[in-house]
């Protein structure tokens, strides 16, 4: 199983935001996996792996994961 460039950063960032949303009562526990999967699926990996691209992927994932949590 091979991960796309930056996908582990995206997975981690989305998971952190989703868990925080759950702890704040914004989403149910059962929504965490769905939210994280959606963000990971939507991620468009950069063609070059670099710390800058990883930081951008992390920031994008945090913002994207927060959107559905705020809609509720």
């Amino acid at each position: 199983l091979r991960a796309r460039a930056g996908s582990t950063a995206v997975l981690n960032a989305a998971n952190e935001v989703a868990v925080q949303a759950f702890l704040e009562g914004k989403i149910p526990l059962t929504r965490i996996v769905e939210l994280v999967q959606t963000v990971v699926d939507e991620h468009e990996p950069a063609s070059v792996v670099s710390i800058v691209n990883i930081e951008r992927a992390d920031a994008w994932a945090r913002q994207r994961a927060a959107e559905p949590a705020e809609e509720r």
Side-chain angles (χ1 to χ4, degrees):
L1 183 65
R2 299 192 69 167
R4 296 182 299 173
S7 62
T8 53
V10 169
L11 173 70
N12 183 65
N15 187 63
E16 287 181 5
V17 171
V19 169
Q20 187 62 40
F22 163 71
L23 293 174
E24 293 173 357
K26 295 178 180 177
I27 64 170
L29 177 64
T30 55
R31 179 92 166 88
I32 293 173
V33 172
E34 179 185 334
L35 179 56
V36 172
Q37 184 66 54
T38 298
V39 174
V40 170
D41 288 346
E42 291 178 359
H43 175 244
E44 296 289 333
S47 58
V48 176
V49 177
S50 70
I51 190 67
V52 171
N53 287 336
I54 291 171
E55 288 172 342
R56 286 179 183 157
D58 179 272
W60 173 85
R62 289 176 190 281
Q63 181 179 4
R64 181 64 187 98
E67 292 169 4
E70 296 300 321
E71 290 174 5
R72 185 177 169 161

